[in-house]
PDB file of all heavy atoms in Angstrom:
ATOM      1  N   LEU A   9      36.652 123.938 168.412  1.00  0.00           N
ATOM      2  CA  LEU A   9      37.453 124.552 167.367  1.00  0.00           C
ATOM      3  C   LEU A   9      36.743 125.733 166.710  1.00  0.00           C
ATOM      4  O   LEU A   9      35.632 125.633 166.145  1.00  0.00           O
ATOM      5  CB  LEU A   9      37.784 123.555 166.293  1.00  0.00           C
ATOM      6  CG  LEU A   9      38.524 123.943 165.085  1.00  0.00           C
ATOM      7  CD1 LEU A   9      39.934 124.345 165.435  1.00  0.00           C
ATOM      8  CD2 LEU A   9      38.509 122.807 164.034  1.00  0.00           C
ATOM      9  N   CYS A  13      39.211 129.538 162.592  1.00  0.00           N
ATOM     10  CA  CYS A  13      40.515 128.732 162.342  1.00  0.00           C
ATOM     11  C   CYS A  13      40.449 127.801 161.140  1.00  0.00           C
ATOM     12  O   CYS A  13      41.374 127.701 160.450  1.00  0.00           O
ATOM     13  CB  CYS A  13      40.873 127.840 163.621  1.00  0.00           C
ATOM     14  SG  CYS A  13      41.298 128.741 165.037  1.00  0.00           S
ATOM     15  N   LEU A  14      39.226 127.221 160.935  1.00  0.00           N
ATOM     16  CA  LEU A  14      39.014 126.405 159.754  1.00  0.00           C
ATOM     17  C   LEU A  14      39.057 127.324 158.535  1.00  0.00           C
ATOM     18  O   LEU A  14      39.554 126.875 157.461  1.00  0.00           O
ATOM     19  CB  LEU A  14      37.696 125.696 159.900  1.00  0.00           C
ATOM     20  CG  LEU A  14      37.708 124.566 160.886  1.00  0.00           C
ATOM     21  CD1 LEU A  14      36.225 123.962 161.066  1.00  0.00           C
ATOM     22  CD2 LEU A  14      38.655 123.439 160.456  1.00  0.00           C
ATOM     23  N   VAL A  15      38.481 128.504 158.576  1.00  0.00           N
ATOM     24  CA  VAL A  15      38.430 129.483 157.488  1.00  0.00           C
ATOM     25  C   VAL A  15      39.851 129.902 157.137  1.00  0.00           C
ATOM     26  O   VAL A  15      40.332 129.838 155.950  1.00  0.00           O
ATOM     27  CB  VAL A  15      37.637 130.727 157.892  1.00  0.00           C
ATOM     28  CG1 VAL A  15      37.859 131.784 156.722  1.00  0.00           C
ATOM     29  CG2 VAL A  15      36.162 130.357 157.930  1.00  0.00           C
ATOM     30  N   ASP A  16      40.735 130.137 158.070  1.00  0.00           N
ATOM     31  CA  ASP A  16      42.102 130.453 157.819  1.00  0.00           C
ATOM     32  C   ASP A  16      42.838 129.251 157.268  1.00  0.00           C
ATOM     33  O   ASP A  16      43.651 129.476 156.323  1.00  0.00           O
ATOM     34  CB  ASP A  16      42.843 130.846 159.229  1.00  0.00           C
ATOM     35  CG  ASP A  16      42.490 132.228 159.653  1.00  0.00           C
ATOM     36  OD1 ASP A  16      41.874 133.057 158.881  1.00  0.00           O
ATOM     37  OD2 ASP A  16      42.655 132.514 160.858  1.00  0.00           O
ATOM     38  N   LEU A  17      42.528 127.977 157.732  1.00  0.00           N
ATOM     39  CA  LEU A  17      43.288 126.840 157.210  1.00  0.00           C
ATOM     40  C   LEU A  17      42.967 126.640 155.674  1.00  0.00           C
ATOM     41  O   LEU A  17      43.821 126.570 154.904  1.00  0.00           O
ATOM     42  CB  LEU A  17      42.814 125.694 157.931  1.00  0.00           C
ATOM     43  CG  LEU A  17      43.174 124.213 157.316  1.00  0.00           C
ATOM     44  CD1 LEU A  17      44.672 123.997 157.635  1.00  0.00           C
ATOM     45  CD2 LEU A  17      42.228 123.224 157.742  1.00  0.00           C
ATOM     46  N   LEU A  18      41.605 126.760 155.373  1.00  0.00           N
ATOM     47  CA  LEU A  18      41.280 126.664 153.956  1.00  0.00           C
ATOM     48  C   LEU A  18      41.771 127.715 153.159  1.00  0.00           C
ATOM     49  O   LEU A  18      42.155 127.440 151.989  1.00  0.00           O
ATOM     50  CB  LEU A  18      39.698 126.550 153.883  1.00  0.00           C
ATOM     51  CG  LEU A  18      39.081 125.355 154.472  1.00  0.00           C
ATOM     52  CD1 LEU A  18      37.543 125.578 154.702  1.00  0.00           C
ATOM     53  CD2 LEU A  18      39.348 124.211 153.578  1.00  0.00           C
ATOM     54  N   ARG A  19      41.788 129.013 153.600  1.00  0.00           N
ATOM     55  CA  ARG A  19      42.333 130.146 152.734  1.00  0.00           C
ATOM     56  C   ARG A  19      43.800 130.106 152.573  1.00  0.00           C
ATOM     57  O   ARG A  19      44.275 130.656 151.590  1.00  0.00           O
ATOM     58  CB  ARG A  19      41.813 131.443 153.318  1.00  0.00           C
ATOM     59  CG  ARG A  19      40.399 131.673 153.289  1.00  0.00           C
ATOM     60  CD  ARG A  19      39.869 133.000 153.779  1.00  0.00           C
ATOM     61  NE  ARG A  19      38.434 133.162 153.583  1.00  0.00           N
ATOM     62  CZ  ARG A  19      37.733 134.022 154.185  1.00  0.00           C
ATOM     63  NH1 ARG A  19      38.288 134.755 155.202  1.00  0.00           N
ATOM     64  NH2 ARG A  19      36.450 134.232 154.003  1.00  0.00           N
ATOM     65  N   ASN A  20      44.478 129.444 153.448  1.00  0.00           N
ATOM     66  CA  ASN A  20      45.927 129.499 153.411  1.00  0.00           C
ATOM     67  C   ASN A  20      46.559 128.179 153.094  1.00  0.00           C
ATOM     68  O   ASN A  20      47.765 127.886 153.123  1.00  0.00           O
ATOM     69  CB  ASN A  20      46.520 129.888 154.797  1.00  0.00           C
ATOM     70  CG  ASN A  20      46.177 131.352 155.120  1.00  0.00           C
ATOM     71  OD1 ASN A  20      46.570 132.286 154.305  1.00  0.00           O
ATOM     72  ND2 ASN A  20      45.578 131.594 156.096  1.00  0.00           N
ATOM     73  N   SER A  21      45.637 127.240 152.538  1.00  0.00           N
ATOM     74  CA  SER A  21      46.224 125.936 152.221  1.00  0.00           C
ATOM     75  C   SER A  21      45.526 125.552 150.786  1.00  0.00           C
ATOM     76  O   SER A  21      44.739 124.627 150.628  1.00  0.00           O
ATOM     77  CB  SER A  21      45.697 124.920 153.215  1.00  0.00           C
ATOM     78  OG  SER A  21      46.303 125.062 154.560  1.00  0.00           O
ATOM     79  N   SER A  22      45.872 126.285 149.769  1.00  0.00           N
ATOM     80  CA  SER A  22      45.387 126.126 148.509  1.00  0.00           C
ATOM     81  C   SER A  22      45.550 124.697 147.904  1.00  0.00           C
ATOM     82  O   SER A  22      44.807 124.293 147.053  1.00  0.00           O
ATOM     83  CB  SER A  22      45.688 127.243 147.462  1.00  0.00           C
ATOM     84  OG  SER A  22      47.209 127.140 147.363  1.00  0.00           O
ATOM     85  N   GLY A  23      46.541 124.131 148.371  1.00  0.00           N
ATOM     86  CA  GLY A  23      46.861 122.722 147.809  1.00  0.00           C
ATOM     87  C   GLY A  23      46.156 121.601 148.617  1.00  0.00           C
ATOM     88  O   GLY A  23      46.358 120.459 148.327  1.00  0.00           O
ATOM     89  N   LEU A  24      45.403 121.971 149.626  1.00  0.00           N
ATOM     90  CA  LEU A  24      44.726 120.922 150.369  1.00  0.00           C
ATOM     91  C   LEU A  24      43.764 120.109 149.585  1.00  0.00           C
ATOM     92  O   LEU A  24      42.902 120.723 148.866  1.00  0.00           O
ATOM     93  CB  LEU A  24      43.982 121.614 151.640  1.00  0.00           C
ATOM     94  CG  LEU A  24      43.318 120.770 152.688  1.00  0.00           C
ATOM     95  CD1 LEU A  24      44.309 120.006 153.454  1.00  0.00           C
ATOM     96  CD2 LEU A  24      42.410 121.602 153.586  1.00  0.00           C
ATOM     97  N   GLN A  25      43.905 118.802 149.673  1.00  0.00           N
ATOM     98  CA  GLN A  25      42.964 117.967 148.809  1.00  0.00           C
ATOM     99  C   GLN A  25      41.978 117.166 149.686  1.00  0.00           C
ATOM    100  O   GLN A  25      40.920 116.766 149.029  1.00  0.00           O
ATOM    101  CB  GLN A  25      43.871 117.050 147.982  1.00  0.00           C
ATOM    102  CG  GLN A  25      44.657 117.726 146.998  1.00  0.00           C
ATOM    103  CD  GLN A  25      45.439 116.764 146.076  1.00  0.00           C
ATOM    104  OE1 GLN A  25      45.604 115.536 146.518  1.00  0.00           O
ATOM    105  NE2 GLN A  25      45.985 117.235 145.029  1.00  0.00           N
ATOM    106  N   ALA A  26      42.184 117.084 150.937  1.00  0.00           N
ATOM    107  CA  ALA A  26      41.322 116.280 151.842  1.00  0.00           C
ATOM    108  C   ALA A  26      41.223 117.035 153.150  1.00  0.00           C
ATOM    109  O   ALA A  26      42.235 117.456 153.663  1.00  0.00           O
ATOM    110  CB  ALA A  26      41.825 114.916 152.005  1.00  0.00           C
ATOM    111  N   LEU A  27      40.012 117.021 153.704  1.00  0.00           N
ATOM    112  CA  LEU A  27      39.723 117.500 155.008  1.00  0.00           C
ATOM    113  C   LEU A  27      38.900 116.550 155.809  1.00  0.00           C
ATOM    114  O   LEU A  27      37.791 116.119 155.286  1.00  0.00           O
ATOM    115  CB  LEU A  27      38.964 118.863 154.811  1.00  0.00           C
ATOM    116  CG  LEU A  27      38.577 119.708 156.139  1.00  0.00           C
ATOM    117  CD1 LEU A  27      39.721 120.122 156.912  1.00  0.00           C
ATOM    118  CD2 LEU A  27      37.669 120.768 155.827  1.00  0.00           C
ATOM    119  N   LYS A  28      39.406 116.112 156.973  1.00  0.00           N
ATOM    120  CA  LYS A  28      38.717 115.231 157.735  1.00  0.00           C
ATOM    121  C   LYS A  28      38.356 115.906 159.146  1.00  0.00           C
ATOM    122  O   LYS A  28      39.225 116.228 159.907  1.00  0.00           O
ATOM    123  CB  LYS A  28      39.468 113.884 158.012  1.00  0.00           C
ATOM    124  CG  LYS A  28      38.699 112.943 158.947  1.00  0.00           C
ATOM    125  CD  LYS A  28      39.579 111.633 159.093  1.00  0.00           C
ATOM    126  CE  LYS A  28      38.857 110.698 159.922  1.00  0.00           C
ATOM    127  NZ  LYS A  28      39.500 109.488 160.173  1.00  0.00           N
ATOM    128  N   LEU A  29      36.996 116.032 159.458  1.00  0.00           N
ATOM    129  CA  LEU A  29      36.621 116.529 160.692  1.00  0.00           C
ATOM    130  C   LEU A  29      35.701 115.554 161.316  1.00  0.00           C
ATOM    131  O   LEU A  29      34.597 115.214 160.799  1.00  0.00           O
ATOM    132  CB  LEU A  29      35.725 117.793 160.491  1.00  0.00           C
ATOM    133  CG  LEU A  29      36.660 118.986 159.875  1.00  0.00           C
ATOM    134  CD1 LEU A  29      35.784 120.183 159.559  1.00  0.00           C
ATOM    135  CD2 LEU A  29      37.713 119.394 160.887  1.00  0.00           C
ATOM    136  N   LEU A  44      32.949 130.217 156.827  1.00  0.00           N
ATOM    137  CA  LEU A  44      33.418 128.757 156.541  1.00  0.00           C
ATOM    138  C   LEU A  44      32.815 128.199 155.362  1.00  0.00           C
ATOM    139  O   LEU A  44      33.501 127.491 154.592  1.00  0.00           O
ATOM    140  CB  LEU A  44      33.195 127.895 157.899  1.00  0.00           C
ATOM    141  CG  LEU A  44      33.638 126.477 157.719  1.00  0.00           C
ATOM    142  CD1 LEU A  44      35.055 126.274 157.386  1.00  0.00           C
ATOM    143  CD2 LEU A  44      33.448 125.781 159.141  1.00  0.00           C
ATOM    144  N   ALA A  47      34.366 129.547 152.334  1.00  0.00           N
ATOM    145  CA  ALA A  47      35.783 129.140 152.185  1.00  0.00           C
ATOM    146  C   ALA A  47      35.738 127.702 151.542  1.00  0.00           C
ATOM    147  O   ALA A  47      36.623 127.328 150.748  1.00  0.00           O
ATOM    148  CB  ALA A  47      36.484 129.256 153.423  1.00  0.00           C
ATOM    149  N   LEU A  48      34.754 126.944 151.922  1.00  0.00           N
ATOM    150  CA  LEU A  48      34.710 125.598 151.434  1.00  0.00           C
ATOM    151  C   LEU A  48      34.375 125.659 149.944  1.00  0.00           C
ATOM    152  O   LEU A  48      34.958 124.879 149.084  1.00  0.00           O
ATOM    153  CB  LEU A  48      33.657 124.738 152.153  1.00  0.00           C
ATOM    154  CG  LEU A  48      34.114 124.238 153.533  1.00  0.00           C
ATOM    155  CD1 LEU A  48      32.804 123.789 154.319  1.00  0.00           C
ATOM    156  CD2 LEU A  48      35.124 123.079 153.391  1.00  0.00           C
ATOM    157  N   ILE A  49      33.310 126.382 149.618  1.00  0.00           N
ATOM    158  CA  ILE A  49      32.876 126.523 148.156  1.00  0.00           C
ATOM    159  C   ILE A  49      33.925 127.016 147.321  1.00  0.00           C
ATOM    160  O   ILE A  49      34.214 126.451 146.146  1.00  0.00           O
ATOM    161  CB  ILE A  49      31.639 127.447 148.060  1.00  0.00           C
ATOM    162  CG1 ILE A  49      30.426 126.727 148.736  1.00  0.00           C
ATOM    163  CG2 ILE A  49      31.298 127.665 146.612  1.00  0.00           C
ATOM    164  CD1 ILE A  49      29.171 127.580 148.946  1.00  0.00           C
ATOM    165  N   CYS A  50      34.731 128.069 147.757  1.00  0.00           N
ATOM    166  CA  CYS A  50      35.783 128.696 146.976  1.00  0.00           C
ATOM    167  C   CYS A  50      37.160 127.930 147.001  1.00  0.00           C
ATOM    168  O   CYS A  50      38.015 128.269 146.134  1.00  0.00           O
ATOM    169  CB  CYS A  50      35.944 130.153 147.500  1.00  0.00           C
ATOM    170  SG  CYS A  50      34.552 131.106 147.294  1.00  0.00           S
ATOM    171  N   HIS A  51      37.247 126.796 147.685  1.00  0.00           N
ATOM    172  CA  HIS A  51      38.584 126.204 147.839  1.00  0.00           C
ATOM    173  C   HIS A  51      38.912 125.617 146.434  1.00  0.00           C
ATOM    174  O   HIS A  51      38.097 124.931 145.876  1.00  0.00           O
ATOM    175  CB  HIS A  51      38.577 125.078 148.954  1.00  0.00           C
ATOM    176  CG  HIS A  51      39.923 124.734 149.262  1.00  0.00           C
ATOM    177  ND1 HIS A  51      40.723 123.796 148.484  1.00  0.00           N
ATOM    178  CD2 HIS A  51      40.781 125.204 150.248  1.00  0.00           C
ATOM    179  CE1 HIS A  51      41.860 123.688 149.095  1.00  0.00           C
ATOM    180  NE2 HIS A  51      41.977 124.506 150.215  1.00  0.00           N
ATOM    181  N   PRO A  52      40.206 125.828 145.958  1.00  0.00           N
ATOM    182  CA  PRO A  52      40.513 125.480 144.573  1.00  0.00           C
ATOM    183  C   PRO A  52      40.958 123.962 144.394  1.00  0.00           C
ATOM    184  O   PRO A  52      41.002 123.526 143.224  1.00  0.00           O
ATOM    185  CB  PRO A  52      41.719 126.295 144.301  1.00  0.00           C
ATOM    186  CG  PRO A  52      42.405 126.614 145.583  1.00  0.00           C
ATOM    187  CD  PRO A  52      41.252 126.665 146.566  1.00  0.00           C
ATOM    188  N   SER A  53      41.148 123.159 145.442  1.00  0.00           N
ATOM    189  CA  SER A  53      41.732 121.843 145.203  1.00  0.00           C
ATOM    190  C   SER A  53      41.057 120.865 146.157  1.00  0.00           C
ATOM    191  O   SER A  53      41.415 119.646 146.011  1.00  0.00           O
ATOM    192  CB  SER A  53      43.190 121.885 145.347  1.00  0.00           C
ATOM    193  OG  SER A  53      43.582 122.196 146.719  1.00  0.00           O
ATOM    194  N   LEU A  54      40.206 121.121 146.864  1.00  0.00           N
ATOM    195  CA  LEU A  54      39.578 120.166 147.860  1.00  0.00           C
ATOM    196  C   LEU A  54      38.834 119.028 147.053  1.00  0.00           C
ATOM    197  O   LEU A  54      37.931 119.425 146.347  1.00  0.00           O
ATOM    198  CB  LEU A  54      38.635 120.870 148.885  1.00  0.00           C
ATOM    199  CG  LEU A  54      38.289 120.250 150.187  1.00  0.00           C
ATOM    200  CD1 LEU A  54      39.643 119.901 150.925  1.00  0.00           C
ATOM    201  CD2 LEU A  54      37.422 121.141 151.024  1.00  0.00           C
ATOM    202  N   GLN A  55      39.265 117.829 147.260  1.00  0.00           N
ATOM    203  CA  GLN A  55      38.678 116.725 146.514  1.00  0.00           C
ATOM    204  C   GLN A  55      37.828 115.750 147.459  1.00  0.00           C
ATOM    205  O   GLN A  55      37.062 114.943 146.981  1.00  0.00           O
ATOM    206  CB  GLN A  55      39.768 115.926 145.753  1.00  0.00           C
ATOM    207  CG  GLN A  55      40.417 116.734 144.732  1.00  0.00           C
ATOM    208  CD  GLN A  55      41.563 115.976 144.075  1.00  0.00           C
ATOM    209  OE1 GLN A  55      41.774 114.797 144.314  1.00  0.00           O
ATOM    210  NE2 GLN A  55      42.343 116.659 143.267  1.00  0.00           N
ATOM    211  N   GLU A  56      38.114 115.833 148.789  1.00  0.00           N
ATOM    212  CA  GLU A  56      37.529 114.920 149.600  1.00  0.00           C
ATOM    213  C   GLU A  56      37.249 115.511 151.008  1.00  0.00           C
ATOM    214  O   GLU A  56      38.093 116.131 151.493  1.00  0.00           O
ATOM    215  CB  GLU A  56      38.467 113.637 149.839  1.00  0.00           C
ATOM    216  CG  GLU A  56      37.936 112.594 150.818  1.00  0.00           C
ATOM    217  CD  GLU A  56      38.912 111.514 151.012  1.00  0.00           C
ATOM    218  OE1 GLU A  56      39.941 111.366 150.172  1.00  0.00           O
ATOM    219  OE2 GLU A  56      38.811 110.738 151.886  1.00  0.00           O
ATOM    220  N   ILE A  57      36.068 115.388 151.444  1.00  0.00           N
ATOM    221  CA  ILE A  57      35.706 115.928 152.826  1.00  0.00           C
ATOM    222  C   ILE A  57      35.079 114.753 153.609  1.00  0.00           C
ATOM    223  O   ILE A  57      34.114 114.103 153.066  1.00  0.00           O
ATOM    224  CB  ILE A  57      34.620 117.001 152.848  1.00  0.00           C
ATOM    225  CG1 ILE A  57      35.351 118.292 152.057  1.00  0.00           C
ATOM    226  CG2 ILE A  57      34.069 117.423 154.018  1.00  0.00           C
ATOM    227  CD1 ILE A  57      34.428 119.455 151.955  1.00  0.00           C
ATOM    228  N   TYR A  58      35.543 114.606 154.765  1.00  0.00           N
ATOM    229  CA  TYR A  58      34.928 113.577 155.779  1.00  0.00           C
ATOM    230  C   TYR A  58      34.443 114.531 156.942  1.00  0.00           C
ATOM    231  O   TYR A  58      35.201 115.205 157.568  1.00  0.00           O
ATOM    232  CB  TYR A  58      35.876 112.628 156.226  1.00  0.00           C
ATOM    233  CG  TYR A  58      35.283 111.674 157.243  1.00  0.00           C
ATOM    234  CD1 TYR A  58      34.570 110.522 156.809  1.00  0.00           C
ATOM    235  CD2 TYR A  58      35.393 111.838 158.647  1.00  0.00           C
ATOM    236  CE1 TYR A  58      33.923 109.677 157.715  1.00  0.00           C
ATOM    237  CE2 TYR A  58      34.851 110.949 159.508  1.00  0.00           C
ATOM    238  CZ  TYR A  58      34.087 109.854 159.089  1.00  0.00           C
ATOM    239  OH  TYR A  58      33.684 108.936 159.856  1.00  0.00           O
ATOM    240  N   PHE A  59      33.135 114.620 157.035  1.00  0.00           N
ATOM    241  CA  PHE A  59      32.569 115.590 158.053  1.00  0.00           C
ATOM    242  C   PHE A  59      31.492 114.727 158.786  1.00  0.00           C
ATOM    243  O   PHE A  59      30.350 114.540 158.362  1.00  0.00           O
ATOM    244  CB  PHE A  59      31.892 116.740 157.318  1.00  0.00           C
ATOM    245  CG  PHE A  59      31.482 117.871 158.167  1.00  0.00           C
ATOM    246  CD1 PHE A  59      32.443 118.768 158.569  1.00  0.00           C
ATOM    247  CD2 PHE A  59      30.252 118.147 158.526  1.00  0.00           C
ATOM    248  CE1 PHE A  59      32.166 119.865 159.408  1.00  0.00           C
ATOM    249  CE2 PHE A  59      29.950 119.146 159.445  1.00  0.00           C
ATOM    250  CZ  PHE A  59      30.850 120.067 159.720  1.00  0.00           C
ATOM    251  N   ILE A  82      30.582 122.167 146.331  1.00  0.00           N
ATOM    252  CA  ILE A  82      31.996 122.284 146.027  1.00  0.00           C
ATOM    253  C   ILE A  82      32.244 121.523 144.707  1.00  0.00           C
ATOM    254  O   ILE A  82      31.934 120.314 144.530  1.00  0.00           O
ATOM    255  CB  ILE A  82      32.866 121.596 147.134  1.00  0.00           C
ATOM    256  CG1 ILE A  82      32.669 122.256 148.456  1.00  0.00           C
ATOM    257  CG2 ILE A  82      34.271 121.547 146.842  1.00  0.00           C
ATOM    258  CD1 ILE A  82      33.232 121.631 149.700  1.00  0.00           C
ATOM    259  N   GLN A  83      32.772 122.316 143.741  1.00  0.00           N
ATOM    260  CA  GLN A  83      32.981 121.744 142.338  1.00  0.00           C
ATOM    261  C   GLN A  83      34.070 120.733 142.266  1.00  0.00           C
ATOM    262  O   GLN A  83      34.134 119.868 141.449  1.00  0.00           O
ATOM    263  CB  GLN A  83      33.128 122.935 141.417  1.00  0.00           C
ATOM    264  CG  GLN A  83      32.042 123.892 141.296  1.00  0.00           C
ATOM    265  CD  GLN A  83      30.910 123.442 140.581  1.00  0.00           C
ATOM    266  OE1 GLN A  83      31.076 122.664 139.584  1.00  0.00           O
ATOM    267  NE2 GLN A  83      29.683 123.789 140.974  1.00  0.00           N
ATOM    268  N   THR A  84      35.099 120.826 143.135  1.00  0.00           N
ATOM    269  CA  THR A  84      36.289 120.018 143.019  1.00  0.00           C
ATOM    270  C   THR A  84      36.179 118.690 143.744  1.00  0.00           C
ATOM    271  O   THR A  84      37.057 117.844 143.558  1.00  0.00           O
ATOM    272  CB  THR A  84      37.473 120.772 143.568  1.00  0.00           C
ATOM    273  OG1 THR A  84      37.244 121.150 144.958  1.00  0.00           O
ATOM    274  CG2 THR A  84      37.790 122.000 142.673  1.00  0.00           C
ATOM    275  N   LEU A  85      35.085 118.409 144.416  1.00  0.00           N
ATOM    276  CA  LEU A  85      34.881 117.153 145.113  1.00  0.00           C
ATOM    277  C   LEU A  85      34.825 115.923 144.101  1.00  0.00           C
ATOM    278  O   LEU A  85      34.184 116.085 143.121  1.00  0.00           O
ATOM    279  CB  LEU A  85      33.731 117.093 146.009  1.00  0.00           C
ATOM    280  CG  LEU A  85      33.810 117.961 147.187  1.00  0.00           C
ATOM    281  CD1 LEU A  85      32.518 117.748 148.120  1.00  0.00           C
ATOM    282  CD2 LEU A  85      34.988 117.649 148.153  1.00  0.00           C
ATOM    283  N   ASP A  86      35.531 114.835 144.474  1.00  0.00           N
ATOM    284  CA  ASP A  86      35.445 113.604 143.683  1.00  0.00           C
ATOM    285  C   ASP A  86      33.981 113.142 143.763  1.00  0.00           C
ATOM    286  O   ASP A  86      33.315 113.086 144.772  1.00  0.00           O
ATOM    287  CB  ASP A  86      36.275 112.446 144.288  1.00  0.00           C
ATOM    288  CG  ASP A  86      37.699 112.731 143.974  1.00  0.00           C
ATOM    289  OD1 ASP A  86      38.048 113.483 142.996  1.00  0.00           O
ATOM    290  OD2 ASP A  86      38.594 112.121 144.637  1.00  0.00           O
TER     291      ASP A  86
END
Side-chain angles (χ1 to χ4, degrees):
L9 177 64
C13 290
L14 290 169
V15 172
D16 287 343
L17 170 78
L18 291 165
R19 289 184 179 159
N20 293 304
S21 301
S22 61
L24 184 71
Q25 294 182 345
L27 178 65
K28 180 177 180 180
L29 298 171
L44 177 54
L48 285 165
I49 292 170
C50 295
H51 197 276
S53 63
L54 202 53
Q55 297 175 7
E56 181 181 342
I57 294 180
Y58 180 83
F59 194 82
I82 299 172
Q83 299 286 326
T84 55
L85 288 183
D86 287 340

